[in-house]
Amino acid sequence: MTSSSERIYRGSVRALSLVMLGLGVAILGLTVASGGGPLSLGILLGLAFVAVGAGRLWLASRMKP
């Protein structure tokens, strides 16, 4: 990959990771506000989105420049 296309790829990976992280937090907030319990589908999906988004951000930070 060229330098500019690599930079675009890394930026898009980080952006998508932040979107997933934000969606997870929003799902968690809406579920808790609606009175969802600890094992409700909204909590589980929210935690999954947060974990995947945070994991992708962590992996992106460990990629070689």
Side-chain angles (χ1 to χ4, degrees):
M1 266 196 253
T2 64
S3 178
S4 64
S5 63
E6 191 171 316
R7 200 169 62 237
I8 291 170
Y9 172 74
R10 289 173 193 260
S12 63
V13 167
R14 287 189 176 101
L16 183 60
S17 300
L18 288 172
V19 167
M20 292 177 78
L21 194 61
L23 279 173
V25 170
I27 291 170
L28 286 171
L30 288 172
T31 302
V32 169
S34 299
L39 290 179
S40 64
L41 183 61
I43 295 291
L44 297 177
L45 282 175
L47 289 175
F49 270 88
V50 167
V52 169
R56 284 177 57 97
L57 276 175
W58 180 75
L59 286 174
S61 71
R62 299 192 38 95
M63 290 173 59
K64 290 185 178 182

